[in-house]
């Protein structure tokens, strides 16, 4: 080999030096295309224990998942001058420009999630919870959402006091679902990661506390205080069972009653009525209770009426409100600038995306599984990037686990989930949805700051500075072709020169 070729080879070696580290997915294939990773009692892919959290000086870790089949494939890439690297675009990171502080990422401990986990062997159950909550091997989830009573993803309708007229709540009791499907797995998650914060959400008050108006239900004024006491009893019962609740949203989707005809899983509020109830009942009673450190989140619905509801709640009962819950279901119609407006108006209230999911299961149809699985993961990572770039302090999935039918669900509202269980083989499948969340949750610690990142819109991006001083950059290349990227960190003299594979999720971590 002549001197010119040797020089070129040495340049490329130093320029793109990567130290490959095994991180194998046990593939689930459809027509030879990798759709998911298979986990069982003895094996589940994850970041190996022997990888240091921080790469060597002058290098960055680079984690890649893509449509071609890579799943959290990790390597090390050197910072360099990128002099002869022809780039499609340059992305600039500036850790001196900081925005919101991150609380965390997670999912919901629905009845359906617990029912599906319980169908697996004990060893596989533990493997599954590790896949989400283990700080090293899993997704490092730090949030968990707990429904108060039944939801559409239960197998029956129930509240904690279905005895009509029981204003003193003498018949209040947790349900078998709490003891069998929620509390055990919540406690296992917290045991794996003590940093987990849990927040609860109520779909409805018991029917006897509500009034009906053409099958739309509202809380009766005579039961305003009764319902507060009901919620506080829930907090007390969970604490007595070893589960402390960090936050609470008293009404999941206050607009839902206008959209569906099912008073068992919805309770309608109009903005001013809910605001007055918070200001005069829930806020002050919670503040004077033993649970006065439990944070109150308002709204907990889609962007569609967020400004109207939040304005009323904060202007009337703002001193009791810590944060605002937002759901993702109408995001394609109602832009993220709505969240910007809320943040600008009420910068002292945090904004948290509290529910996302994708309609219609695909595991019983191979052609849909092949054509849609990656697209669904893409939707998740684009949503996470979008919410991070518009002031959200976290992102919380809905059902963490479902079966192949997208259930169980008491109202036939079948959905998809990041993890699908197969009890017949004692396995579970981690879909692209799972890796989309992990590309952020695993690396962005609580109290990280979102920092400035600038691109030309050809690559979707967001960036963070962790409490221990690492920079985390998340990039998504949605194109069907490779993109050549220069990542320029204004706090460094050198750059990262990257080839982003087609339709790929990328996380970079360096110090």
């Amino acid at each position: 080999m002549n001197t010119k070729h040797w020089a070129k080879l040495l340049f490329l070696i130093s320029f793109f030096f990567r130290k490959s580290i095994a991180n194998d997915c046990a593939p689930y294939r459809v027509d030879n295309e990798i759709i998911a990773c298979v986990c069982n009692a003895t094996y589940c892919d994850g970041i190996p224990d022997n990888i240091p959290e921080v790469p060597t000086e002058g290098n960055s870790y680079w984690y890649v998942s893509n449509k071609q089949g890579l799943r959290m494939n990790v390597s090390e890439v050197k910072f360099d001058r990128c002099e002869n690297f022809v780039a499609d675009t340059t992305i600039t990171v500036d850790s001196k420009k900081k925005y919101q502080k991150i609380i965390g990422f997670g999912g919901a401990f629905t009845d359906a999630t617990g029912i599906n986990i319980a169908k697996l062997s004990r060893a596989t159950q533990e493997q599954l919870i590790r896949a989400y909550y283990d700080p090293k091997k899993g997704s490092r989830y730090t949030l968990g959402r707990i429904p108060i009573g039944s939801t559409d993803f239960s197998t029956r309708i129930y509240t904690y006091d279905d005895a009509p007229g029981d204003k003193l709540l003498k018949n209040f009791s947790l349900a078998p679902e709490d003891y069998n499907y929620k509390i055990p797995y919540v406690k296992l998650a917290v045991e794996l990661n003590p940093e987990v914060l849990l927040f609860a959400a109520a779909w409805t008050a018991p029917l006897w506390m509500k009034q009906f108006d053409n099958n739309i239900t509202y809380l009766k004024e005579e039961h305003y205080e009764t319902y507060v006491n009901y919620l506080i009893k829930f907090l007390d019962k969970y604490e007595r069972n070893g589960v402390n609740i960090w936050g609470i949203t008293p009404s999941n989707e206050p607009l839902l009653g206008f959209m569906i005809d099912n008073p068992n899983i919805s309770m309608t509020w109009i903005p001013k009525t809910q605001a007055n109830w918070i200001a005069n009942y829930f806020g002050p009673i919670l503040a004077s209770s033993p649970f006065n450190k439990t944070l109150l989140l308002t709204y907990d619905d889609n962007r569609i009426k967020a400004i109207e509801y939040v304005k009323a709640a904060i202007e009337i009962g703002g001193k009791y409100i810590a944060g605002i819950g937002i759901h993702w279901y109408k995001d394609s119609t109602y832009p993220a600038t709505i969240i910007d407006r809320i943040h600008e108006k009420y910068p002292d209230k945090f904004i948290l995306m509290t529910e996302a999911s994708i309609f219609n299961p695909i595991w019983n149809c191979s052609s849909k599984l092949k054509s849609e699985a990656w697209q669904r993961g893409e939707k998740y990572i684009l949503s996470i990037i979008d919410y991070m770039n518009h002031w959200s302090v976290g992102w919380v999935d809905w059902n963490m686990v479902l079966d192949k039918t997208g259930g169980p669900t008491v109202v036939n509202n079948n959905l998809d989930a990041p993890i699908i269980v197969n009890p017949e083989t004692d396995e579970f499948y981690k879909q692209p949805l799972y890796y989309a969340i992990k590309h952020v949750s695993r690396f962005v610690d609580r109290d990280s700051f979102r920092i400035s990142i600038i691109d030309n819109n050809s690559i979707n991006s967001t960036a963070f500075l962790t409490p221990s001083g690492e920079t985390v950059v998340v990039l998504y290349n949605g194109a069907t072709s490779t993109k050549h990227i220069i990542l320029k960190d204004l706090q460094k003299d050198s750059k990262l020169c990257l080839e982003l594979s087609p339709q790929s999720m990328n996380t970079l971590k360096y110090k």
Side-chain angles (χ1 to χ4, degrees), residues 219-292:
L219 186 63
K220 292 179 180 178
E221 190 169 353
E222 67 193 80
H223 289 306
Y224 277 8
E225 186 171 344
T226 312
Y227 184 50
V228 175
N229 293 334
Y230 176 89
L231 296 174
I232 290 176
K233 274 188 172 288
F234 165 82
L235 299 175
D236 178 66
K237 290 290 187 182
Y238 260 66
E239 183 180 73
R240 290 172 185 269
N241 281 276
V243 177
N244 296 313
I245 304 297
W246 162 78
I248 186 168
T249 59
S251 179
N252 171 75
E253 297 184 351
L255 290 164
L256 185 62
F258 292 120
M259 303 175 189
I260 66 168
D261 185 13
N262 193 330
N264 293 302
I265 57 168
S266 66
M267 184 167 72
T268 304
W269 291 92
I270 59 175
K272 197 166 183 179
T273 302
Q274 186 178 55
N276 282 317
W277 175 76
I278 290 172
N280 299 315
Y281 291 90
F282 191 39
I285 296 173
L286 182 66
S288 63
S289 78
F291 305 98
N292 53 23

Side-chain angles (χ1 to χ4, degrees), residues 197-211:
L197 296 176
L198 302 162
F199 66 101
W203 266 240
T204 180
L207 286 179
W208 56 269
M209 292 189 195
K210 302 196 292 182
Q211 64 185 28

Side-chain angles (χ1 to χ4, degrees), residues 437-506:
I437 307 171
K438 185 172 183 175
H439 265 276
V440 187
S441 65
R442 173 60 180 77
F443 308 102
V444 181
D445 300 328
R446 176 166 298 134
D447 294 333
S448 296
F449 282 98
R450 177 173 67 91
I451 58 176
S452 173
I453 187 165
I454 300 173
D455 59 39
N456 66 356
N457 297 323
S458 64
I459 300 295
N460 298 91
S461 63
T462 191
F464 308 87
L465 183 68
T466 70
S468 51
E470 295 107 27
T471 298
V472 176
V473 179
V474 180
L475 307 172
Y476 184 70
N477 175 21
T480 55
S481 59
T482 298
K483 294 292 183 180
H484 298 79
I485 302 298
I486 291 177
L487 182 68
K488 180 181 179 181
D489 189 318
L490 295 182
Q491 310 311 316
K492 288 185 171 290
D493 295 329
S494 52
K495 307 164 188 174
L496 291 176
C497 320
L498 308 168
E499 292 185 8
L500 305 187
S501 56
Q503 295 175 283
S504 65
M505 306 169 188
N506 302 266

Side-chain angles (χ1 to χ4, degrees), residues 45-114:
D45 60 290
I47 298 171
D49 289 333
N50 60 355
I51 298 181
E53 280 299 313
V54 184
T56 55
E57 184 69 26
N59 289 0
S60 173
Y61 285 144
W62 182 7
Y63 297 84
V64 181
S65 300
N66 61 23
K67 193 174 187 297
Q68 287 73 30
L70 294 182
R71 295 295 182 268
M72 299 299 294
N73 186 72
V74 58
S75 58
E76 237 176 287
V77 58
K78 284 183 67 67
F79 278 88
D80 210 289
R81 297 178 67 183
C82 299
E83 288 180 340
N84 297 314
F85 184 76
V86 180
D88 298 305
T89 188
T90 296
I91 294 173
T92 304
V93 174
D94 186 0
S95 59
K96 296 295 184 183
K97 293 183 179 178
K98 298 177 182 178
Y99 303 98
Q100 78 272 25
K101 188 182 286 188
I102 301 302
I103 291 177
F105 304 85
F109 290 90
T110 61
D111 289 351
T113 290

